[in-house]
Amino acid sequence: MLAVLFWTACSSPVANTPVSIIPAPAKMEVLNGSFTLNPSTKLVLKDEGNFSNEVEFLQITLEHALGSQISEEGNGSELELIFDSQIQPAGAYQLDVSSDKVALKAGDPTGMFYAIETLRQLLPADLEGDQTSTEIFIPTVKIEDQPTLGWRGMHLDVSRHFFSIEYLHRYVDLLALYKMNKFHLHLTDDQGWRIEIKNYPELTEKSAWRTFNNQDSVCMEKAVEDPRFNFEQKHLREVDGQTQYGGFYTQEELRELVAYAQSRHIEIIPEIDMPGHMMAAIQVYPELACTNSAGWGKVFSTPLCPGKEGVYTFVENVLTEVMDIFPSKYVHIGADEVEKSTWENSQECKNLMAAEGIEDVEELQTYFVERVTDFLKSKGKEVIVWDDALNSGIDSTLHVMYWRSWAAAVPEKIAANGNPMILVPGNPLYFSRLDAKMYPIYHMPLYGPKFPVEKANLIQGMQAALWSETVPSETLADAIIFPKMLALAERAWSTPEVHDWESFKVRLQTHLKRLDALGVKYSYEVTKELIPFMNVDTEKEQIGIMLDSELSNPEIHYTLDGSVPTMESPKYEDEFFVQGSALVTAAVFEDGKALEPFMTRQVDYHKAIGKAVTYHKPWNGAYPAGDAGTMTDGLRGGDAHHDGKWQGFTNDLDVTIDMGEEQEVNSFSATFMQLSGPGILMPGAVEVSLSLDGENFHQVLSIENDIPKEKKELLFKEFAGSLAGEKARFIHVKAINSQRAFIFTDEIVIN
Ligand code: ACM
């Protein structure tokens, strides 16, 4: 009310909210005036009967802000909803606010819905809460907008920890506010079965509940410092004096959720993860496993047994009920992280393989995926799998979710196989951590520069995932998702031309108020960390370095010799280039002082860049970095061994670089990492041999390790030496894994 008094006191009312739309519209003109919305505003429907659901949503939205709905009998200025088939494509809309009229136009209900969500963002943020106002000044604007990507998704894992059905409704509301259109619901996993299946009631009677597991213990430890890691009482129950954790959704609850999401133009995609990640079902029906028991393999749980017919009966019965609840175009069947050792020893699998001419267990996985896919397709569904399924071989009709950003060239492989794909790269789109940064979500590349441009049409869109292993509460989920999701929403919806990180950060401030009013327990701490991006230019023989930050227009100074930057050091304005080697050190400055943490990165443009490397022994499949090109790609790693730049080996590193022609070589160096916690140790020695013909080598260097394995902290050692200007074409490098650990290096530098 105060706001109303204040604004009506002005002779010419101005809108009492800055225009601050996320995601940014394709075209927007902010004019100088306002429309006054009040309970007598007249609703004018020129919708040809197309927008009844959207009119209902408009009324809910207005009632929340104004305290009452508006009516077609109103005698005030007009708010019009217009159907205009010229407005294309689907989801596009126009919104014109002038001082005497608001006009929302769209060619389909989805577009009209988005027009209303944009109008909602022109209302004051605090009206999202309990407050109402009977006189609202809406800034005059002209907006033309449309979605860029067709898949703008969020995922939620409700298996590892359970989220109430009310929370899912609110999740849908928040997705819709930011024009997201896909909600991927990960309903089942090893740690809990969350969907009622009438044919198999024990799935939820037994496997929706558990005594505390090792993931819960992690939460309990963290809860000591941060109460958001506490369990919610509503998901705990006592049975025979024992505390159990869990919960599930009834079919009726899920149907209501689906209908609610549909009214907000969101498709819910159910995931029943199989044949791995099925322990919750196998605990109830052990005969679904080849071993007739639930258990763990080396890394993942015992999967369904593809050699047993009964497994297909079970899967088809479950999916039949799932399809009956979820009318979505897609069903997600996971197909990730399958431990196949129980298949190798199974007589049923051997029989099936012999009968079907299946060569190995990878092909058996393909058989399973194809069989389930055929079933779903026969019911008119399209099928989604995680990218690991590609390793065993899949056909090009499956939709693939790319998640393993630490594996080499996955999007390229999906594209080569011809599958439509959804980008969910773990880095940066797994929102599992509180301290993850927002900037990379806004515009870190989601695939490498070698992705073929002509295959871009295979990219359906992008999605972020919230895996809930250590997320036991709604407040923590809120804190992890928000406001990061807004960065994703803008990236997925808006055209690249309107992407603007600086503008986004400013608009975000208004949205934090909106989220506050909505009761969203977001977490937003602006990091002062600098984020480096590197471009290796083999034509100009240099490496371009760009630095980015979450701060608005930060002052950055850098040095190239490893020294601490000062105000006198070069100021970072735009990309700068390194020819040869440099130890780049950069920092943000405020009031003339450098802020921690500094960014330090070794950069080397060296003679071996782009040269072919032959591997005599393989890298470890979990840490391929950039595959066979990674040792000579000029890209150095940071502090994290999983940052996609460090290649890991569990045998010796044993490679030969072909320099392409005979030339003088002066020096060798390779940096190794030690982090004894996860078992990453130094090689015992690094040996370098040279050859002119690739056959006759002679050793020129043997560099011993001097870092004891007892050192617990993160350490780097450069194994380096002189090659004495010798002539060579082939350089053989062997790092001896004498401690039988993981060894990691990021680059072999030859000068
Ligand atoms: C996954 O994170 N296992 C898809």
Side-chain angles (χ1 to χ4, degrees), residues 277 336-337 386 403 430 467:
H277 289 272
D336 58 320
E337 300 183 324
W386 295 107
W403 69 281
Y430 272 21
W467 296 101

Side-chain angles (χ1 to χ4, degrees), residues 5 27 30 42 187 430 466 576 655:
L5 289 177
K27 279 192 201 159
V30 180
K42 181 178 168 73
L187 283 162
Y430 272 21
L466 181 72
F576 61 93
V655 298

